[in-house]
Amino acid sequence: MALAISLSHATASSFNGEVKFLSSASQLKGKYPFNLPSKNANFTKQLVIYAKRLSGLEEALRIRRERELRSSTTAKRRPPLRRGRVSQQLPVPDDIPKPPYVGSRELPDITSEYQIHDVEGLARMRAACELAARVVDYAGTLVRPSVTTNEIDKAVHQMIIDAGAYPSPLGYGGFPKSVCTSVNECMCHGIPDSRQLQDGDIINIDVTVYLNGYHGDTSKTFFCGDVSESIKRLVKVTEECLERGIAVCKDGALFRKIGKRISEHAEKFGYGVVDRFVGHGIGTVFHSEPLIYHHRNDKSGSMVEGQTFTIEPILTLGSTECVTWEDNWTTLTADGQYMRGGRISAKGLKKRS
């Protein structure tokens, strides 16, 4: 889970014009502050333009955004995401240490204490996070059309236990798998199943490992086959938002600066920032305070050297509203359109300086 990153530009003036055609003088009456032509005036259409001043950058982004929306609606539609068959939970050898929540289907509470580590704790966090990073990179090599998310889960599970670690999601509040695989409009917490990946899909693979008593958590979004440019841009901007959030992290910095930086960058491109899901503290406990909000907020609290927490923004092309399936985990964009959501998060470790 990641701890602990502006874009400068010159602008030129331009106008964003809204154009309306009005077919008769009667339509103009009482609407605009200029004299109307007489009843005998010979014309069929009056062109009226009213405008507001925008920067050159804003105008360029507006035009690109409109093109993206047009292309996303005219592109080949795929069926909405549907749940496939979920296979049985995979076994973990008895000699691998397990987190305390394993064996209970009850969702653990978020621990109120902040996790601040000493030198030894930071070393163990690094080891866990480095393993998680290797696993997610390996999982990305498996992404291709026809591969099922269940196959990805199985491979990830094996790599984690081969390293002597426990896959943290497995059994957390009853979660049945070792990794989260969130495809297309799925915002997060997708459960691996029998669905085959399709050409043009995107998939976020969220890996957390429990190694030597510490959780290391990371995720990344991967492209499956030929992905549209508008979706590639969504993922790229989400990565940039993450980097801007990380950049503000240091001893004494306010947590709310993370959400401010992320929101500022996302809004430049017309993307929505999902506010339902947050980052969180991590260490010996999977989820703890502080909660990290990715949107603008006025929450109090400052960072302290030695803390570890996650930053995991979720950006959307469309609505930021969401719906959750009956499994109580899989959460999708409410508009349900193909690839309306994208997520990328890096959850690693950074010591404050």
Side-chain angles (χ1 to χ4, degrees), residues 99-171:
Y101 53 77
V102 174
S104 172
R105 295 186 64 84
E106 184 177 348
L107 189 67
D109 292 330
I110 294 177
T111 303
S112 59
E113 295 181 3
Y114 288 25
Q115 301 186 69
I116 303 175
H117 311 289
D118 57 17
V119 174
E120 181 181 354
L122 289 173
R124 292 193 177 193
M125 276 297 297
R126 285 193 180 90
C129 291
E130 287 170 357
L131 173 59
R134 292 198 302 273
V135 173
V136 80
D137 285 344
Y138 167 66
T141 67
L142 306 176
V143 174
R144 62 182 181 275
S146 80
V147 169
T148 68
T149 51
N150 190 63
E151 290 173 310
I152 294 174
D153 175 76
K154 186 176 181 180
V156 164
H157 179 90
Q158 191 63 48
M159 183 174 180
I160 292 172
I161 64 173
D162 284 348
Y166 182 89
S168 301
L170 187 63

Side-chain angles (χ1 to χ4, degrees), residues 1-241:
M1 307 212 157
L3 268 173
I5 299 190
S6 199
L7 204 56
S8 63
H9 52 266
T11 60
S13 296
S14 67
F15 286 101
N16 175 24
E18 181 178 346
V19 180
K20 290 188 177 182
F21 288 95
L22 301 107
S23 59
S24 69
S26 63
Q27 288 181 273
L28 295 171
K29 187 174 181 180
K31 291 188 177 181
Y32 303 102
F34 48 76
N35 294 328
L36 297 179
S38 66
K39 292 182 180 180
N40 296 325
N42 183 21
F43 74 99
T44 57
K45 286 188 177 182
Q46 176 77 28
L47 174 63
V48 178
I49 301 176
Y50 50 99
K52 62 180 179 180
R53 185 175 295 275
L54 293 178
S55 72
L57 177 62
E58 289 173 325
E59 174 70 358
L61 291 174
R62 181 189 67 79
I63 293 171
R64 184 169 68 181
R65 174 72 174 142
E66 289 178 352
R67 288 174 179 169
E68 286 178 354
L69 290 176
R70 285 197 297 270
S71 65
S72 66
T73 56
T74 57
K76 181 180 178 181
R77 290 283 184 153
R78 296 182 186 273
L81 196 64
R82 293 285 184 263
R83 182 176 181 177
R85 182 179 59 83
V86 178
S87 59
Q88 291 184 339
Q89 181 172 311
L90 296 170
V92 177
D94 292 337
D95 61 338
I96 291 181
K98 301 170 180 62
Y101 53 77
V102 174
S104 172
R105 295 186 64 84
E106 184 177 348
L107 189 67
D109 292 330
I110 294 177
T111 303
S112 59
E113 295 181 3
Y114 288 25
Q115 301 186 69
I116 303 175
H117 311 289
D118 57 17
V119 174
E120 181 181 354
L122 289 173
R124 292 193 177 193
M125 276 297 297
R126 285 193 180 90
C129 291
E130 287 170 357
L131 173 59
R134 292 198 302 273
V135 173
V136 80
D137 285 344
Y138 167 66
T141 67
L142 306 176
V143 174
R144 62 182 181 275
S146 80
V147 169
T148 68
T149 51
N150 190 63
E151 290 173 310
I152 294 174
D153 175 76
K154 186 176 181 180
V156 164
H157 179 90
Q158 191 63 48
M159 183 174 180
I160 292 172
I161 64 173
D162 284 348
Y166 182 89
S168 301
L170 187 63
Y172 182 82
F175 193 84
K177 291 293 181 177
S178 299
V179 66
C180 294
T181 51
S182 302
V183 179
N184 296 340
E185 68 265 34
C186 182
M187 289 182 174
C188 60
H189 302 156
I191 298 176
D193 59 24
S194 61
R195 179 190 183 276
Q196 292 183 327
L197 293 177
Q198 306 296 312
D199 184 60
D201 283 351
I202 57 172
I203 176 173
N204 179 270
I205 302 177
D206 193 343
V207 173
T208 311
V209 303
Y210 184 68
L211 179 67
N212 297 324
Y214 286 76
H215 295 274
D217 188 353
T218 189
S219 81
K220 187 173 182 179
T221 298
F222 298 96
F223 303 136
C224 181
D226 186 17
V227 175
S228 71
E229 290 302 316
S230 62
I231 302 304
K232 288 180 179 178
R233 185 174 296 110
L234 172 64
V235 173
K236 180 177 182 293
V237 172
T238 313
E239 286 182 312
E240 292 169 352
C241 284

